[in-house]
Amino acid sequence: QVQLVESGGGLVQAGGSLRLSCAASGRTFSTYTMGWFRQAPGKEREFVSAVTWSDGSAYYADSVKGRFTISRDSAKNTVYLQMNSLKPEDTAVYYCAARYGIMYFGSNKYDYWGQGTQVTVSS
């Protein structure tokens, strides 16, 4: 049973930083890709970033490139999303997701999802 648990969300002022964590359990994730998605009220869930467990290859949505950094700690089966220079437009529920194999960017390609953690960026 795969379980993904996000944490680290909260309220931050514009320009500030947050680090989200995703604790993964139930499998050996060495061959998996982990992704972060977000969903703002009234909007579709969108891709934010993804990383492969095997070598740490990472990809970012244009909207967060240069501001967010994804990383993983394989020993802890934990994925992080370091979010810097946050903007009000980043306000959303952030979800951790996992899929077996290579990296994809569509939410429909991911098999496992966490419950989400709220990130609110104020002006």
Side-chain angles (χ1 to χ4, degrees):
Q1 297 180 352
V2 171
Q3 185 176 23
L4 307 176
V5 180
E6 304 97 333
S7 62
L11 176 65
V12 65
Q13 294 184 10
S17 298
L18 284 173
R19 188 179 73 161
L20 305 183
S21 298
C22 173
S25 62
R27 297 280 176 84
T28 299
F29 291 94
S30 59
T31 57
Y32 277 66
T33 295
M34 306 296 294
W36 285 99
F37 294 78
R38 66 187 183 187
Q39 188 166 22
K43 296 184 178 181
E44 296 290 321
R45 189 169 298 184
E46 66 174 347
F47 172 81
V48 176
S49 184
V51 65
T52 60
W53 281 107
S54 58
D55 62 2
S57 298
Y59 200 85
Y60 301 90
D62 288 342
S63 59
V64 306
K65 197 172 299 181
R67 300 188 297 121
F68 291 10
T69 303
I70 192 169
S71 61
R72 86 274 190 255
D73 185 334
S74 296
K76 296 181 178 180
N77 276 355
T78 300
V79 180
Y80 304 97
L81 185 68
Q82 179 66 46
M83 306 185 295
N84 298 326
S85 301
L86 283 162
K87 305 174 182 179
E89 305 94 276
D90 296 317
T91 295
V93 176
Y94 283 70
Y95 296 91
C96 179
R99 71 176 307 277
Y100 180 82
I102 64 173
M103 185 179 296
Y104 285 95
F105 309 128
S107 61
N108 62 321
K109 298 294 186 180
Y110 287 76
D111 303 304
Y112 307 102
W113 293 84
Q115 293 297 306
T117 185
Q118 176 71 48
V119 172
T120 302
V121 184
S122 66
S123 301

